[in-house]
């Protein structure tokens, strides 16, 4: 059975995953577009940097983020100098960490989708009077639909299951920064297996339904290519 | 009022019990944050909002003390852990743990001696028996004592050195067979706590945990008390 | 007012280097062999070739200069690409609407309804592009470009995938649009027939360079251009409508030195119209013949003769001040003893009304 | 030996339902309006329409039956799709090699070198498809299909994107391939000219159904088919070479009731050849006229006249036992008093050699 | 500075990541192809299931895998019945866990790439005499190049940084199942921060160079689309 804490953790998790995914889509889309279309010689350096956060174990990445966000770290120090609060152990901190960590899962599929689209549809839209921004929204995004789907699913799911980073910079504070993945982990650690099974089961079921809906819905809007 | 207490995962059951009673008696709220002591340490030096820290060892509290991050003279031992060799199999372990010498098993689970005091204790016990090197290849190492327990519990390792507190709880009978080595065979596993912030409620909690009511609970969960 | 373009594009193997002045009304055809740069030229005009250097002035607007290039979406053009290039995520109706909604042209709009009807797209509006045949896609692409009500139309072989009947419906429609809305039309085509039908002005491209430019009338009767060879040499002339025979549906069209009887619907009296005469349709006789089904027979003087290095020769005949080409066999020329300066009769079997 | 196809494909709005017998040698043209199912038919023959029901026998091989369908890669065909469809990851040379390497046909190979030369691809071999113009891509696609040395060629408007000169080079080449290697050729085209040039056999499609099939000679002179309308009505006849005039480069070609003088290279004596006569090139006179540049004049009897509902009529003339079509104005017909059975002279301005 | 153990862990990590990626590509490619091309009505169910492992926190997923692999679990039970050994705490077990966990990162980009390709190239190849398998290798795979690149990078990097699962079912046996991510984690937990920085730095640098090479190399073979 779910405790009140667990329910709250689930709520925080969904909030975190949604916000992270939205932010990732917002900042990832222009980056992916640029990566797909730019002819800059040293683009590959940026591409390599984007995939880097992946190779560090999440807890370690979280550790470094913690140092960076902490009062002695560059970001945290800056925040404090500006009179702001430290971001560590806050929900905002969680969002920053998750965004950082799930970035490649959003950018890479989008980049591929934009690339596969070719230049022609955008040229046609331009001759039909659509401004760059307008054609980006009315042509590029719909045509990159399956890339967006993948990006969203991977980004969202990865943030759901995200753990190490969140544990480190979130501080696992129930009701504030404890997400469901850590709640399950805590139950497992505390040998409360039944509880762990329950939450895992609910999470899986919920995710399965969400994913199923997304994919089933997507079928209807598939862009057919020949 | 509310206090936040970072607690080593292995002490979770006992402290939940204690915190619950404390909450009932005082009407204040206690938020418990479980995790590995290493992580908690890293978080505390980076400004985590904890009032109390219940570590699984003595090292981290004393390091914090050295750094001047704790309230003066607040460091004390709240529990002393006991290590046991345990197997869910009822007949595997006899009173003298002959099985260790016979080595008639595939895997022996031990917590990482470098990270977990229980692992260090297991190492000391095995070294004294001249088994540490011979069994090395059969040892699987849990990152912490919780994971070590899971190795054994899931049956993947036939037996392992776990915390007595993991198999003993006030209301349940111990399942399987175990051997409880003599205390003299290893350095006492002192678990220390420190007060991080000058907070009255936190001081009240510390006071409470040193009283008999709390000490009884601690003992009922398989720890010794100082 | 006119369109002045000076472009330079370098692609290693191929370079486009042209400097032209295109009339900003009527139809300009771009003609040339495969790979000569026709598509590249249209793309440069549309602003789609980022590496294009040079300048472009359309009417009184500067679209490109040394340091500036008007972005493509601000150039009021309708472009039919060589491949249909429909938006695969939109159905036909949405494809058509895409440009129309974004068109802020102040000029009077081309009626989409009429275009749909004429291009026979009515039953396809709900389909996605992958559910259309090649020709259907091409028709949608044409309609989509027209729906923008552009200030200039760029058409890259728009009728290549269409059948004869369809072409015969669309060509006059394009022509009427051009007239009615005063939209200059740049038209790439491999078909001399289409060009003769539609074009007023012609640009001949060869390996990225201008080979010749001029009015269709002029270029089609020049013997020194490749246009004059092949089986389809023709002359295009302008004549004035002077009368109509209702019974036989014949227009009488006056040119400087006589009149043609040409079949067709009545044309408005006094208007000027374009006629096409294929060299292969013109025969030469020494005497005026009657009792023949050929209606148009004129006295003429042989002005020039050019041997095409085959069994045929092309003869330029002057009917008064008007030149027309005739293609006959060398044998006939020899049998009849044709020489420059000889007076003969030109029998024109077929005269086609072009506009 | 022949190709027997019986197909049924249902797509809701459109269905293909045909049962045809295609000669397994020579060129068969598929003709019809945009969207009538030409591409669908070719795809069904190639085995690319999974929902196609029916049967297909090619020679003595069963390619499709009720319960079986030979997979496409085992059908020895060369298919030029309506769009070039080159492999974008391979350069031109690799595109050409792709099929050739996989061709296990035991038949003598078509020389790739020769094809490359004729389609003028030599300078493009290192390019990737996106570096080619539309027409260049189309030429590569043709060469790639030929390189397979297939047992049958399916061509979907292969020349639509090419210019006249190029067409005039490729058409005879396709024809010679077909003759030399005995490859039956199925050819979709919108151009009556191409069809007349190349095709022996014709399939007319209309809305997914067969409208008519038959030899080109036969179908082109039938007044009841849409082929007979439009400006390009023509007659195709077969004649025998009986002589040559070296000086004027004229072939003399005997048909049942007379002979034509036709310009061109000498044809081998005694061989049979195909001639095309456009109805618009035939004029009618009541008297035999001399001193004219028209070489081919024959006495004829008016066999049939059909008013096209316009200012013109189409007249079928019998020259002995051979029928040809003439298109003249109603005015001329009335002036000359033409009626069925009248004896007249047919003046043929141009006769084209087709093969 | 890297200890001998760390170097060995790095080696095991690279081995694990390579083998996992290869296996994933081998089994993921046909699945992705099927998902991209099939018109089966209930395909979306499979798509949802494939993304599921993502939503569980890795440690928890590892926990369930551990149970499954254990003698009472379905897989472990089967293995034992067949006379085989338990897979937990073996390198093979690690590979299985990693494959399971990184699956969606490989399948999704491939599926998108196959989908974006359309049907035409395969049809053309068929008419040119290429058998289904042959055209899959000579046409589909090269055209899906950028999808493969993404799949490989995401799969490989994710396995490199993978942690929870490996920690759980690997048993962290030095020289056998201890991977570099756990080694870094251990250093962080043991407060050996300098050591942790060193290894993290080396791993990042190594990964950066590998990624850079891959992307730079890829530039030359990009399939251009218009
Ligand atoms: N996926 C589809 N769904 C529904 N209708 C389709 C689909 N694909 C093609 N059609 C219809 O099938 C008919 C035949 O198409 P096909 O491509 O064979 O025509 P076609 O004769 O080749 O025409 P064109 O000359 O324009 O290329 C067309 O009317 C087209 O609209
Ligand atoms: N990316 C490129 N790199 C190099 N050469 C190119 C590139 N794109 C086009 N070309 C070449 O530029 C020339 C002009 O191409 P363009 O498309 O303008 O020809 P076109 O006149 O439209 O021919 P077609 O009638 O075949 O469509 C061609 O020779 C072509 O090979
Ligand atoms: Mg072109
Ligand atoms: Mg077609």
């Amino acid at each position: 059975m779910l405790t009140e804490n667990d329910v709250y953790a689930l709520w925080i998790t969904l909030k975190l995953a949604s916000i992270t995914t939205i932010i990732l889509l917002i900042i990832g889309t222009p980056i992916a577009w640029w990566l797909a279309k730019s002819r800059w010689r040293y683009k590959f350096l940026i591409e390599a940097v984007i995939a880097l956060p992946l190779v560090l174990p999440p807890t370690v990445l979280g550790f470094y983020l913690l140092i960076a966000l902490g009062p002695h770290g560059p970001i945290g120090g800056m925040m404090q100098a500006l009179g702001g609060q430290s971001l560590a152990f806050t929900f905002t901190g969680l969002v920053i960490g998750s965004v950082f960590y799930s970035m490649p899962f959003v950018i890479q599929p989008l980049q591929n989708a934009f690339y596969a689209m070719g230049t022609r549809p955008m040229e046609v839209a331009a001759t039909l009077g659509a401004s760059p921004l307008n054609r980006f929204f009315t042509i590029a995004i719909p045509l990159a639909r399956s890339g967006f789907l993948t990006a969203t699913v991977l980004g969202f799911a990865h943030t759901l299951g995200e753990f190490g980073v969140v544990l480190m910079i979130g501080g696992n504070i129930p009701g504030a920064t404890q997400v469901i993945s850590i709640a399950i982990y805590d139950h497992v650690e505390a040998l409360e297996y039944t509880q762990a099974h329950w939450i895992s089961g609910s999470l899986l079921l919920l995710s399965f339904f969400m994913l199923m809906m997304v994919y089933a819905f997507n079928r209807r809007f598939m862009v057919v290519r020949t | 009022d509310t206090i936040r207490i970072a607690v080593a995962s292995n002490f979770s059951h006992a402290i939940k019990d204690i915190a619950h009673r404390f909450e009932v008696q005082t009407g204040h709220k206690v938020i418990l944050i479980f995790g590995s002591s290493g992580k908690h340490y890293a978080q505390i030096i980076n400004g985590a909002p904890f009032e109390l820290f219940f570590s699984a060892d003595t090292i981290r509290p004393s390091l914090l003390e050295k750094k001047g991050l704790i309230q003066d003279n607040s460091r004390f031992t709240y529990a002393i852990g006991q290590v046991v060799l345990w197997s869910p199999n009822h007949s595997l372990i006899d009173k003298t743990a002959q099985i260790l010498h016979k080595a008639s098993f595939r895997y022996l689970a031990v917590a990482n001696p470098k990270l977990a005091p229980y692992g260090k204790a297991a190492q000391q016990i095995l070294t004294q028996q001249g088994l540490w090197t011979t069994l090395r290849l059969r040892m699987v190492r849990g990152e912490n004592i919780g994971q070590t327990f899971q190795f054994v519990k899931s049956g993947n390792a036939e037996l392992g050195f776990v915390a007595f507190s993991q198999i003993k709880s006030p209301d349940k009978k111990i399942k399987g067979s175990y051997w409880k080595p003599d205390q003299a065979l290893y350095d006492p596993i002192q678990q220390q706590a420190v007060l991080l912030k000058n907070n009255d409620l936190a001081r009240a909690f510390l006071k409470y945990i040193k009283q008999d009511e709390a000490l009884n609970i601690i003992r009922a969960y398989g720890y010794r008390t100082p | 007012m006119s369109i002045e373009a000076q472009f330079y594009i370098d692609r290693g193997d191929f370079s486009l280097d042209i400097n032209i002045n295109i009339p900003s009304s009527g139809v300009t055809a771009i003609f040339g062999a495969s790979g000569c740069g026709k598509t590249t030229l249209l793309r440069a005009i549309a602003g789609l070739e980022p590496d294009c250097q040079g300048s472009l002035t359309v009417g009184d607007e500067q679209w490109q200069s040394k340091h500036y290039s008007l972005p493509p979406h601000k150039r009021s053009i309708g472009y039919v690409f060589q491949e249909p290039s429909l938006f695969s995520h939109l159905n036909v109706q949405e494809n058509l609407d895409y440009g129309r909604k974004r068109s802020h042209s102040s000029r009077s709009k081309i009626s989409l309804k009429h275009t749909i009807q004429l291009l026979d797209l009515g039953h396809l509006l709900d389909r996605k592009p992958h559910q259309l045949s090649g020709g259907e896609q091409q028709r949608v692409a044409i309609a989509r470009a027209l729906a923008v009500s552009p200030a200039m139309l760029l058409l890259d072989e728009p009728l290549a995938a269409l059948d004869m009947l369809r072409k015969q419906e669309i060509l006059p429609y394009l022509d009427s649009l051009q007239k009615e809305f005063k939209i200059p039309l740049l038209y790439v085509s491999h078909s001399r027939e289409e060009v003769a039908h539609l074009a007023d002005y012609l640009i001949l491209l060869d390996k990225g360079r201008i080979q010749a430019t001029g009015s269709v009338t002029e270029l089609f009767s020049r013997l020194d251009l490749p246009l004059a060879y092949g089986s389809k040499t023709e002359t295009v002339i302008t004549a004035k409508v002077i009368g109509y025979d209702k019974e036989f549906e014949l227009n009488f069209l006056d040119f400087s030195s006589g009149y043609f009887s040409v079949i067709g619907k009545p044309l408005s009296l006094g208007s000027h119209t374009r006629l096409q005469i294929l060299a292969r349709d013109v025969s030469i006789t020494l005497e005026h013949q009657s009792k023949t089904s050929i209606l148009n027979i004129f006295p003429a003087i042989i002005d020039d003769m050019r041997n095409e290095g085959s069994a045929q020769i092309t003869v330029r005949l002057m009917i008064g001040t008007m030149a027309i080409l005739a293609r006959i066999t060398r044998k006939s020329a020899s049998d009849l003893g044709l020489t420059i300066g000889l007076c003969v009769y030109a029998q024109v079997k077929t005269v086609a009304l072009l506009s």
Side-chain angles (χ1 to χ4, degrees), chain A, chain B, chain C:
Chain A
M1 302 274 78
L2 304 187
T3 67
E4 196 189 342
N5 247 346
D6 296 336
V7 174
Y8 207 82
L10 185 63
W11 161 237
I12 292 183
T13 306
L14 291 179
K15 199 169 84 173
L16 175 67
S18 312
I19 293 180
T20 303
T21 310
I22 291 169
I23 292 181
L24 274 173
L25 288 175
I26 291 173
I27 62 174
T29 305
I31 298 178
W33 179 258
W34 180 80
L35 286 175
K37 301 294 172 182
S38 158
R39 290 195 252 164
W40 187 47
R41 275 187 71 170
Y42 298 108
K43 196 174 71 174
F44 65 93
L45 293 176
I46 312 280
E47 290 181 290
V49 166
I50 285 173
L52 266 194
L54 266 186
V55 305
L56 282 186
T59 323
V60 175
L61 186 70
F63 173 63
Y64 286 115
L65 279 174
L66 183 66
I67 294 179
L69 293 178
H72 317 302
I75 305 175
M78 211 176 61
M79 289 296 292
Q80 279 196 332
L82 293 173
Q85 266 194 336
S86 162
L87 291 176
F89 316 115
T90 62
F91 185 76
T92 318
L94 281 195
V95 172
I96 293 179
S98 302
V99 164
F100 198 61
Y101 187 46
S102 296
M103 181 94 75
F105 299 114
V106 170
I107 288 189
Q108 294 248 20
L110 289 184
Q111 183 183 347
N112 281 347
F114 287 141
Y115 181 71
M117 218 177 73
T119 54
R120 178 53 59 85
M122 291 299 270
E123 288 183 353
V124 175
T127 67
L128 292 173
S131 70
L133 212 64
N134 187 279
R135 57 188 189 254
F136 184 75
F137 284 107
T138 55
I139 303 297
I141 289 188
L143 283 179
R145 201 191 149 73
S146 66
F148 273 94
L149 181 76
T150 298
T152 310
V153 166
L154 290 185
F156 192 89
H158 193 249
T159 311
L160 272 196
E162 153 99 287
F163 174 73
V165 174
V166 164
L167 187 64
M168 243 345 187
I169 59 181
N172 189 18
I173 302 169
T177 59
Q178 184 177 56
V179 295
I180 196 77
S181 56
I182 310 185
I184 307 179
Y185 177 75
D186 277 358
H187 285 305
V188 171
E189 286 284 287
L191 318 183
E192 297 160 358
Y193 294 157
T194 327
Q195 198 102 0
H197 297 338
W198 264 99
I199 313 185
S200 300
S202 320
L203 185 62
L204 280 179
L205 216 68
L206 179 77
S207 308
F208 181 73
F209 273 106
M210 275 177 10
L211 288 168
M212 211 184 63
M213 301 262 285
V214 168
Y215 285 114
F217 187 71
N218 180 54
R219 264 178 77 86
R220 312 237 232 119
F221 290 88
M222 275 321 235
V223 172
V224 178
R225 293 162 190 266
T226 39
Chain B
D1 265 17
T2 305
I3 49 167
R4 301 182 206 221
I5 310 177
V7 186
S9 297
N10 76 66
F11 197 60
S12 61
H13 287 286
I15 202 153
K16 270 188 206 163
D17 224 339
I18 295 166
H20 181 67
R21 286 172 202 231
F22 179 75
E23 280 176 342
V24 171
Q25 284 174 25
T26 62
H28 296 296
K29 191 157 166 52
V30 176
I31 295 177
L32 299 171
I33 294 135
F34 302 110
S36 85
S37 301
K39 239 169 264 152
H40 283 154
Y41 171 79
Q43 288 169 339
I44 288 163
I45 60 176
N46 282 291
F50 307 143
E51 276 82 26
L52 283 165
F53 172 38
F54 281 69
S55 177
D57 59 4
T58 56
I59 304 165
R60 287 163 248 249
S62 37
L63 272 177
L64 288 174
E65 185 170 36
K66 251 182 244 156
K67 290 197 172 204
L69 289 170
I70 69 169
Q71 300 298 312
D72 291 345
N73 302 322
S74 65
R75 185 161 67 92
F76 76 102
T77 301
Y78 62 89
I80 296 164
Q82 312 180 69
V83 72
V84 290
L85 179 66
W86 174 70
S87 167
N89 186 329
H90 288 281
S91 52
L92 201 62
I93 301 170
D94 57 16
K95 289 211 170 64
T96 50
Q98 280 310 306
I99 182 151
L100 287 179
H101 297 279
K102 278 188 278 176
S104 55
F105 53 86
R106 176 127 189 256
Y107 290 117
L108 166 70
V110 177
N112 190 338
K114 219 169 83 186
L115 307 181
Y118 288 94
K120 195 154 158 240
Q123 183 182 16
Q124 288 169 340
I125 294 162
L126 288 172
T127 312
Q128 274 176 18
Q129 310 221 349
L131 293 170
W132 179 248
T133 28
T134 50
L135 289 179
R136 238 197 121 102
L137 289 175
R138 290 163 188 258
M139 268 182 235
V140 292
R141 298 188 305 168
E143 216 44 49
N144 50 45
I145 199 66
Q147 205 181 7
T148 311
F149 180 80
Q150 282 146 23
F151 287 164
V152 183
K153 169 93 184 177
S154 64
N156 286 290
E158 289 94 324
L159 69 174
F161 283 98
V162 303
F164 188 51
S165 59
Q166 287 172 309
I167 54 175
K168 176 162 178 11
S169 64
D171 38 354
K172 272 188 243 151
K173 218 181 141 257
I174 296 171
K175 287 183 191 148
S177 53
Y178 68 97
W179 168 57
K180 201 161 157 201
D182 191 80
Q183 296 287 326
L185 286 177
Y186 56 96
D187 295 342
I189 303 168
Q190 297 194 37
Q191 306 201 171
Q192 293 194 325
V194 289
L195 177 64
L196 297 167
K197 304 222 169 90
N198 190 5
N199 177 299
D200 289 339
L201 186 56
R203 284 186 195 280
F205 188 80
L206 282 186
K207 207 163 154 199
Y208 177 75
I209 207 164
K210 289 175 188 164
Q211 288 167 4
D212 278 347
E213 186 183 355
L215 292 176
N216 280 334
I217 296 174
I218 294 174
R219 282 191 286 269
Y221 278 98
Y223 298 91
R224 292 193 298 134
T225 47
Chain C
M1 193 179 103
S2 73
I3 300 164
E4 274 170 55
Q6 191 263 307
F7 290 135
Y8 180 73
I9 297 174
D10 188 12
R11 284 189 187 141
D13 283 4
F14 169 86
S15 68
L16 183 80
D17 187 357
I18 57 163
N19 194 335
I20 38 171
N21 211 312
I22 305 167
S24 75
S25 67
V27 178
T28 301
I30 303 173
F31 208 85
S34 172
C36 72
K38 304 178 295 296
T39 299
T40 311
L41 173 59
L42 289 198
R43 287 175 58 87
I45 293 174
L48 297 175
E49 285 289 334
D51 299 332
C52 173
Q53 292 161 28
S55 63
L56 173 63
T57 318
V58 175
D60 42 12
E61 289 177 47
Q62 181 90 11
W63 282 10
Q64 187 175 342
S65 63
K66 199 160 179 189
H67 305 292
Y68 171 76
S69 177
L70 191 71
H73 68 279
K74 296 208 173 134
R75 306 186 178 194
S76 177
I77 47 168
Y79 191 162
V80 178
F81 286 76
Q82 197 165 2
E83 311 81 35
S85 311
L86 302 181
F87 297 129
S88 54
H89 62 301
L90 302 178
N91 68 22
V92 171
Q93 179 73 58
E94 291 160 344
N95 263 284
L96 295 178
D97 287 342
Y98 192 88
R100 199 172 52 107
K101 279 192 202 146
R102 285 167 179 77
S103 148
H104 34 241
S105 92
S106 52
R107 41 180 61 236
S108 50
K109 304 265 178 189
I110 296 174
S111 150
L112 184 57
K113 221 164 135 189
H114 185 60
T115 312
I116 289 174
Q117 190 190 341
L118 199 124
L119 291 167
D120 191 17
L121 302 175
H123 60 297
L124 304 174
L125 294 177
D126 289 336
R127 299 245 193 113
K128 284 285 180 76
H130 76 277
Q131 297 173 314
L132 301 178
S133 80
E136 287 164 351
Q137 289 184 24
Q138 193 68 51
R139 274 142 60 199
V140 176
I142 296 173
R144 182 176 64 177
L146 293 177
V148 182
S149 301
M152 182 187 338
L153 264 172
L154 306 174
L155 308 175
D156 201 345
E157 301 188 46
L159 307 183
L162 298 181
D163 53 296
M164 203 58 61
L165 279 174
R166 199 68 76 178
K167 273 186 196 171
Q168 278 169 8
E169 281 166 30
I170 298 177
L171 277 175
Y173 175 60
L174 289 178
D175 198 37
S176 72
L177 280 182
Q178 176 264 119
K179 289 235 172 61
E180 184 177 343
F181 296 99
K182 304 260 176 304
I183 309 172
L185 212 146
L186 248 78
Y187 188 98
V188 171
S189 173
H190 289 311
S191 157
R192 293 173 52 101
E193 217 176 348
E194 274 173 41
V195 171
H197 254 277
L198 201 61
D200 305 297
Y201 198 78
L202 200 62
I203 298 175
L204 287 185
L205 273 185
D206 185 35
K207 301 206 182 81
R209 305 287 180 281
I210 302 285
Q211 195 180 19
T213 58
S215 75
V216 170
T217 328
E218 188 186 321
L219 291 190
F220 270 36
S221 69
R222 260 171 68 183
L223 290 178
D224 63 334
L225 291 176
L227 281 174
Y229 303 102
S231 64
K232 280 274 190 76
T233 313
E234 65 225 73
T235 317
V236 178
I237 56 184
T238 311
K240 190 177 158 190
V241 182
I242 52 165
Y244 189 69
D245 177 334
K246 251 198 190 145
E247 189 191 345
F248 295 114
E249 299 174 44
L250 287 173
N251 282 291
F252 302 115
L253 299 164
D254 183 57
F255 59 101
S256 47
S257 334
Y259 69 89
F260 288 108
S261 310
V262 182
I263 51 168
K265 302 245 139 19
L267 299 169
S268 65
L269 230 72
S271 70
H272 286 263
T273 186
R274 226 133 44 87
L275 304 172
Q276 176 200 43
I277 298 167
L278 295 182
R280 62 201 292 293
D281 285 340
V282 181
S283 51
I284 297 170
T285 57
L286 296 183
E287 290 164 10
H288 190 291
Q289 301 186 324
S290 55
K291 301 202 178 162
T292 169
S293 66
I294 299 178
L295 287 178
N296 295 298
I297 301 179
F298 307 96
I301 295 173
I302 296 179
D303 185 55
D304 195 5
M305 303 207 293
R306 207 174 268 242
N307 194 327
E308 289 176 28
S310 74
Q312 292 187 302
I313 59 173
T314 306
V315 180
R316 181 152 70 193
L317 299 164
M318 297 305 294
I319 304 173
T321 58
M322 187 196 69
I324 66 170
L325 300 179
R327 172 164 304 147
I328 60 173
T329 58
R330 267 200 290 124
K331 176 160 172 47
S332 306
S334 152
D335 284 359
L336 299 177
L338 301 187
T339 51
I340 292 177
L342 190 72
C343 290
V344 295
Y345 288 89
Q347 299 193 142
V348 183
K349 167 78 171 88
T350 312
V351 179
L353 274 179
L354 287 181
S355 34

